[in-house]
Amino acid sequence: MSKAYFSAPRAGAAGLSPVHGDAGQSSGGASALAGLPRWDLSDLYDGPDSPQLATDLDQADEDAQAFARAWQGRLANVPGGELAQAIAEYQRIDEVLGRAGSYAQLLFAANTSDSDVARFAQSVNERLTAISTHLLFFTLEINRISDDGLSAQLSDPALAHWAPFLRDLRVFRPYQLSDEVEAVLHEKSVTGAAAWNRLFDETMASLRVRVGGEDTTLGNALDTMSSPDRTVREHAAHAIGDELGRNVKLFSLITNTLAKDKAIVDGLRHYPRPTSARNCANMVEDDVVDALVQAVTEAYPRLSHRYYALKAKWLGLEKLEYWDRNAPLTTQDEPLIPWTEATKQVMAAYEGFDPRMGTVAKQFFDHAWIDAPPVPGKASGAFAHPTVPSVHPYLLLNYRGRTRDVMTLAHELGHGVHQVLAGKQGYLMSSTPLTLAETASVFGEMLTFRALLDAQTDPARRRLMLAAKVEDMLNTVVRQIAFYRFEMLVHEERRRGELLPARIGEIWRQTQVESLGPAFNFTPDYDVYWTYIPHFIHSPFYVYAYAFGDCLVNALYGVFRSGHPGFQDKYLDMLKAGGTKRHRELLAPFGLDAADPGFWQKGLDVIAGFIDELERV
């Protein structure tokens, strides 16, 4: 398939940092969270046995074969207008495949433990791979057109419309293999990486952890590590470690296999380093990513090290254990926030920024586009799936009524708004690179947080809100760069041979000690905690995009707060651009440049400023 149909979960919600939740929730709490919305996927298809789904796949198969007969071997020699017609037809067929793939993925996300749904999702994935094999020649052949030849074709205004698609496609030109090899890699993907991904997902969904005398899901157990009771946190932490430890050989096998598979493909394509493919996909230069990673790692002492030293003092501890990282700063139970109240808070922030953005956001609540309850068998965390422009995005949450869950709603809603606005660019040009995909989500989260903070008059509550925000930002920036460093070390070392579980654990502990600092003590059972992070399996090196997006938004929000003229119009135009512009073009109207060494410091200074304020309290 030429386009990624599946979206990865967000940093603070999908295992990268445990979210607050309702393990052991009282009946009153359950009542407060009654009526959480479930999504209705019938806007895509009526069900797995939908006649329309079968018809769409059959027609797409027929159209893809006809497309290949009509265009294969001709692309370099046709006028620009004819190539534009071919791209439009390619987009039409690909969007049909995207619709079917989106439906299968969303159905599976809500029912990961249902074997019938898993089998359906796998069968759809296999069918899509088979159909899209007929289309595979198209992008490969375009990349074989000479620069001069394509330039001549682009003189036709009809093809000039597709210039962003062609620009991004040709980023991969130096790494393209022969058609035969590309076809083999494409067809084998369903029995390669995709199969290992499925094994990981189904295994994770089946794990049960004994907490408080009851067996619970891994997600709920992780949530318990946010309990105000330190003994509860410790018992949950050890129980999680035990369960992950029992499965560590399997997770190590999955990780080693996928890392080796990636190394083989990277070697065939002559990518210079493990992250090169991701950087190309993100349309970001290696030196920009390197500058981000360097800026964040150098800032560890003034950010995470300093904050967690403060937290240890607030908790009255000489040392924090790893299960204290998400400990609340108050022993009082946080009141549960009903879904209706969460909706009001988030919508008020969005509408307060710009009514046009509020209008788009409101659609998600007016229609069944959100799946919110944390039910057994559902994928953990949260994500926004754009599906296809001819339908609409869907949001998956696991809403447990905490403040952080409200922030997660604001975050995923930002993705949804971005995806709706960018949908006007069409299926091939609506998706943004990962480095920009977090812009609207983090900005929406910041809008919501600032609105709630500004409305808070209680100094003690304000301090708690600031501390929670700092922790979320550290999870999004510092923790994600530490994850990136972990992946780099694992993938680089895997090229020299298979890594034993103990060695992967050593690398994990090394990167955690570096990033979290001397305030923490890490016991050996923490060495298996790398196993539950889905990004390492599904989307290698995805994680730095969270730090990229958070720092970018911090800088962007600073421009907004400074009263930059016409900010709202420029911001909405940026979202509407989808994937048609690169980060330099998008940030230029705000006077920002991610290639500027000082750019990342602007974002990190926002976090440091919050910590400064907490130190003064």
Side-chain angles (χ1 to χ4, degrees):
M1 292 169 281
S2 63
K3 180 171 175 167
Y5 299 130
F6 308 155
S7 55
R10 68 165 300 217
L16 298 192
S17 61
V19 293
H20 293 289
D22 61 352
Q25 191 180 87
S26 67
S27 59
S31 174
L33 298 181
L36 292 176
R38 302 302 306 264
W39 60 27
D40 179 1
L41 299 181
S42 63
D43 287 348
L44 291 166
Y45 293 104
D46 290 336
D49 56 353
S50 165
Q52 188 61 52
L53 174 59
T55 298
D56 283 355
L57 291 175
D58 289 343
Q59 187 63 55
D61 196 352
E62 182 180 324
D63 291 347
Q65 293 183 56
F67 182 83
R69 289 193 298 270
W71 294 104
Q72 193 162 9
R74 297 183 53 216
L75 301 182
N77 301 313
V78 298
E82 288 189 33
L83 182 54
Q85 292 174 18
I87 296 174
E89 175 64 2
Y90 172 79
Q91 175 177 255
R92 185 192 68 78
I93 299 170
D94 208 23
E95 184 163 350
V96 174
L97 303 184
R99 186 182 189 126
S102 296
Y103 177 72
Q105 171 63 6
L106 292 172
L107 193 67
F108 178 69
N111 305 275
T112 59
S113 59
D114 187 317
S115 58
D116 289 335
V117 170
R119 184 171 61 252
F120 166 75
Q122 177 66 11
S123 66
V124 170
N125 192 33
E126 291 178 5
R127 184 79 190 279
L128 295 176
T129 300
I131 296 171
S132 59
T133 298
H134 301 301
L135 303 174
L136 188 61
F137 80 92
F138 189 65
T139 54
L140 301 177
E141 194 169 314
I142 287 176
N143 270 352
R144 286 200 298 272
I145 301 174
S146 69
D147 289 338
D148 290 343
L150 186 61
S151 178
Q153 290 172 312
L154 279 166
S155 63
D156 189 310
L159 187 60
H161 167 77
W162 298 102
F165 166 71
L166 295 168
R167 172 203 65 198
D168 292 350
L169 182 63
R170 287 171 79 84
V171 166
F172 297 94
R173 192 181 182 207
Y175 312 109
Q176 185 169 298
L177 303 173
S178 69
D179 288 8
E180 293 79 9
V181 175
E182 293 285 0
V184 170
L185 292 175
H186 181 70
E187 291 194 61
K188 281 188 65 62
S189 65
V190 294
T191 57
W196 290 101
N197 284 184
R198 177 184 171 187
L199 175 61
F200 174 85
D201 288 343
E202 293 185 4
T203 303
M204 276 294 163
S206 70
L207 296 185
R208 292 296 179 267
V209 181
R210 193 152 191 83
V211 177
E214 296 182 358
D215 290 337
T216 188
T217 63
L218 179 63
N220 279 338
L222 288 166
D223 179 70
T224 306
M225 289 173 63
S226 299
S227 167
D229 187 326
R230 196 176 191 221
T231 301
V232 171
R233 294 198 303 272
E234 180 179 2
H235 288 167
H238 291 316
I240 292 167
D242 289 343
E243 181 66 9
L244 295 176
R246 281 189 286 272
N247 292 273
V248 72
K249 288 185 178 180
L250 173 60
F251 293 130
S252 296
L253 174 61
I254 294 172
T255 298
N256 271 287
T257 302
L258 288 173
K260 182 61 176 178
D261 181 76
K262 185 180 189 308
I264 291 170
V265 176
D266 284 355
L268 290 171
R269 297 189 185 281
H270 302 291
Y271 281 119
R273 56 184 184 176
T275 59
S276 297
R278 175 63 65 195
N279 292 348
C280 284
N282 285 346
M283 305 301 161
V284 64
E285 302 79 8
D286 287 350
D287 60 342
V288 172
V289 178
D290 291 343
L292 166 65
V293 173
Q294 181 178 348
V296 174
T297 53
E298 289 178 351
Y300 285 169
R302 74 184 181 106
L303 299 180
S304 49
H305 295 190
R306 184 161 61 117
Y307 174 76
Y308 287 116
L310 283 173
K311 185 165 188 174
K313 183 177 70 174
W314 294 333
L315 294 176
L317 301 170
E318 290 187 14
K319 280 275 191 179
L320 297 172
E321 299 293 339
Y322 73 84
W323 54 80
D324 295 320
R325 186 173 61 83
N326 287 305
L329 296 178
T330 176
T331 57
Q332 296 180 352
D333 287 337
E334 182 183 359
L336 294 180
I337 302 169
W339 175 255
T340 52
E341 181 61 27
T343 300
K344 288 178 184 177
Q345 291 174 350
V346 174
M347 280 300 303
Y350 274 62
E351 290 172 339
F353 171 74
D354 191 283
R356 292 169 294 180
M357 198 161 82
T359 298
V360 177
K362 190 171 183 293
Q363 297 178 77
F364 287 83
F365 302 104
D366 289 345
H367 303 92
W369 296 0
I370 303 175
D371 199 280
V375 296
K378 182 178 177 180
S380 62
F383 64 72
H385 195 309
T387 73
V388 292
S390 56
V391 186
H392 55 76
Y394 282 95
L395 310 185
L396 180 142
L397 308 171
N398 279 276
Y399 187 83
R400 294 176 169 90
R402 305 300 187 187
T403 300
R404 187 173 293 179
D405 296 317
V406 178
M407 293 298 107
T408 298
L409 171 61
H411 181 104
E412 300 305 338
L413 188 62
H415 279 306
V417 169
H418 193 176
Q419 291 158 0
V420 169
L421 293 175
K424 297 177 177 62
Q425 299 295 343
Y427 188 60
L428 294 179
M429 297 192 295
S430 58
S431 294
T432 57
L434 293 180
T435 44
L436 298 171
E438 295 299 320
T439 303
S441 55
V442 178
F443 195 85
E445 201 173 343
M446 181 66 86
L447 287 173
T448 304
F449 170 73
R450 287 287 190 177
L452 295 178
L453 185 68
D454 292 345
Q456 184 55 248
T457 57
D458 181 350
R461 185 64 191 155
R462 183 180 176 86
R463 174 194 161 197
L464 291 174
M465 291 178 67
L466 272 172
K469 183 61 176 174
V470 167
E471 292 197 13
D472 279 345
M473 296 173 90
L474 293 178
N475 283 337
T476 305
V477 177
V478 169
R479 196 155 165 77
Q480 304 314 307
I481 293 303
F483 289 166
Y484 175 81
R485 292 261 304 125
F486 168 78
E487 285 189 279
M488 278 290 296
L489 293 170
V490 167
H491 279 260
E492 287 175 350
E493 192 165 322
R494 179 64 182 93
R495 292 185 171 191
R496 300 190 294 272
E498 183 165 319
L499 283 70
L500 294 174
R503 176 57 187 149
I504 303 177
E506 289 173 358
I507 297 172
W508 171 254
R509 189 190 294 209
Q510 172 192 332
T511 55
Q512 297 306 294
V513 169
E514 290 172 353
S515 62
L516 296 177
F520 279 92
N521 175 56
F522 293 101
T523 54
D525 58 330
Y526 187 62
D527 290 358
V528 298
Y529 268 67
W530 60 272
T531 59
Y532 77 92
I533 298 171
H535 297 61
F536 299 159
I537 304 302
H538 290 286
S539 308
F541 303 107
Y542 181 106
V543 289
Y544 78 74
Y546 290 119
F548 193 110
D550 201 80
C551 289
L552 185 154
V553 167
N554 287 342
L556 194 63
Y557 194 82
V559 173
F560 167 58
R561 297 278 283 192
S562 71
H564 184 85
F567 183 92
Q568 281 88 338
D569 288 337
K570 294 177 183 178
Y571 178 76
L572 291 175
D573 285 344
M574 179 175 67
L575 301 189
K576 292 174 184 176
T580 62
K581 295 181 180 180
R582 299 280 182 84
H583 61 83
R584 280 191 171 90
E585 297 174 90
L586 291 171
L587 292 175
F590 305 97
L592 298 172
D593 181 4
D596 180 353
F599 174 80
W600 301 114
Q601 293 303 327
K602 293 178 186 291
L604 298 175
D605 286 346
V606 172
I607 307 175
F610 282 155
I611 300 173
D612 290 342
E613 187 172 345
L614 285 169
E615 281 186 326
R616 291 193 294 268
V617 174

